[in-house]
Amino acid sequence: MGDILTNQTLRCHTFTSSSSGHGSRALASLCLLAKIHAPFASTATHKILTMASRAGPRAAGTDGSDFEHRERVASHYQMSVALKSEVRKLNIVHVLIWVLMAAQVTVSQLGLVSYKVVATPYQWEYPYLLSIVPTVFSFLALPRNNISYLVISMISGGLFCIAPLIYGSMEMFPVAQQLYRHGKAYRFIFGFSAVSVMYLVIVIAVQVHGWQIYYSKKLLDQWFNSTTSTTQDKKKK
């Protein structure tokens, strides 16, 4: 529309220069109005053309036909990031538990502190030290979405984390029963009953490892779904 008015303005200039009298004055007034309204008409035309675009702005390098694929990829990515954050937090908590257990075993074995201050470890604590293995594999799997490492982490988590805790609760049960019935304890950790402290550790550790396996399984499903959808889209192309 703006171009039309501009062309009309040029024509008016040409015609005005070749005319005279009252007619030329009227034509000059019309040309002046056309000059004033031309910018506004151009802006209005641009707005109309922008509003007429139903698809709106598009990503560079695409015709908009892959909109659903891009939305699906973004959803998978956001869910993967959230699950990774949860798994990473649980891994850090487990590392703290493992450090405390390793410290007790090290202090007891090296005789750095009297056994009256820090009791000798129970049998289940030694195999539980291997629980650091699945956490290491979990940390290695997160940066590059390594499915193999995450599967190894989940399987070894059941063997090195859950199994020793179950065995430990059974091993300490007679001692806990004696403490409950007679109020007698023979092992202490900084003045507290060792069996009470270790049962508290077991309760916390079971929850940590349970949530680790749960979120790892959900994260694994997200990675599988993302890989499957990408493969299907490539086949369609």
Side-chain angles (χ1 to χ4, degrees):
M1 188 181 293
D3 293 336
I4 294 172
L5 290 174
T6 303
N7 292 334
Q8 288 179 354
T9 304
L10 292 174
R11 291 176 185 174
C12 287
H13 274 294
T14 305
F15 188 79
T16 303
S17 61
S18 61
S19 303
S20 59
H22 296 289
S24 63
R25 292 177 184 176
L27 287 173
S29 300
L30 290 173
C31 292
L32 181 60
L33 288 173
K35 289 181 181 179
I36 295 172
H37 289 286
F40 298 100
S42 178
T43 304
T45 304
H46 177 71
K47 289 182 178 180
I48 292 171
L49 291 174
T50 303
M51 293 173 64
S53 178
R54 297 177 62 187
R58 291 194 187 118
T62 178
D63 59 353
S65 60
D66 60 343
F67 173 76
E68 293 183 0
H69 169 69
R70 287 186 285 110
E71 287 293 314
R72 187 166 59 252
V73 170
S75 176
H76 283 308
Y77 176 77
Q78 292 173 357
M79 182 63 69
S80 177
V81 170
L83 292 172
K84 282 182 180 180
S85 176
E86 295 298 327
V87 172
R88 193 174 288 110
K89 291 175 184 177
L90 293 167
N91 288 346
I92 292 173
V93 174
H94 172 239
V95 169
L96 294 177
I97 296 173
W98 185 87
V99 167
L100 293 176
M101 300 280 288
Q104 184 205 359
V105 173
T106 303
V107 167
S108 175
Q109 292 297 317
L110 297 179
L112 301 177
V113 180
S114 173
Y115 71 93
K116 294 182 180 180
V117 178
V118 177
T120 56
Y122 290 97
Q123 292 297 319
W124 68 269
E125 296 181 50
Y126 296 102
Y128 184 76
L129 293 178
L130 295 174
S131 64
I132 195 64
V133 173
T135 299
V136 170
F137 275 103
S138 179
F139 274 125
L140 293 175
L142 296 181
R144 296 187 178 183
N145 297 359
N146 193 308
I147 294 177
S148 300
Y149 282 171
L150 192 61
V151 171
I152 293 173
S153 173
M154 294 173 61
I155 295 174
S156 58
L159 295 175
F160 300 145
C161 300
I162 303 298
L165 293 175
I166 295 174
Y167 174 75
S169 62
M170 296 172 62
E171 179 191 1
M172 296 189 302
F173 182 75
V175 182
Q177 194 175 24
Q178 185 179 11
L179 177 64
Y180 176 76
R181 290 181 177 180
H182 306 289
K184 293 181 180 181
Y186 301 98
R187 295 186 182 185
F188 297 92
I189 298 178
F190 295 108
F192 297 96
S193 170
V195 67
S196 301
V197 174
M198 300 316 296
Y199 259 118
L200 179 62
V201 171
I202 286 178
V203 170
I204 297 174
V206 164
Q207 296 183 59
V208 170
H209 295 308
W211 287 112
Q212 272 182 318
I213 295 174
Y214 172 76
Y215 282 118
S216 296
K217 178 61 170 61
K218 293 194 69 174
L219 183 59
L220 191 64
D221 292 340
Q222 284 294 323
W223 290 351
F224 270 124
N225 293 336
S226 178
T227 304
T228 303
S229 61
T230 304
T231 305
Q232 290 176 352
D233 291 333
K234 287 182 179 179
K235 288 181 179 179
K236 289 179 181 179
K237 294 179 180 179

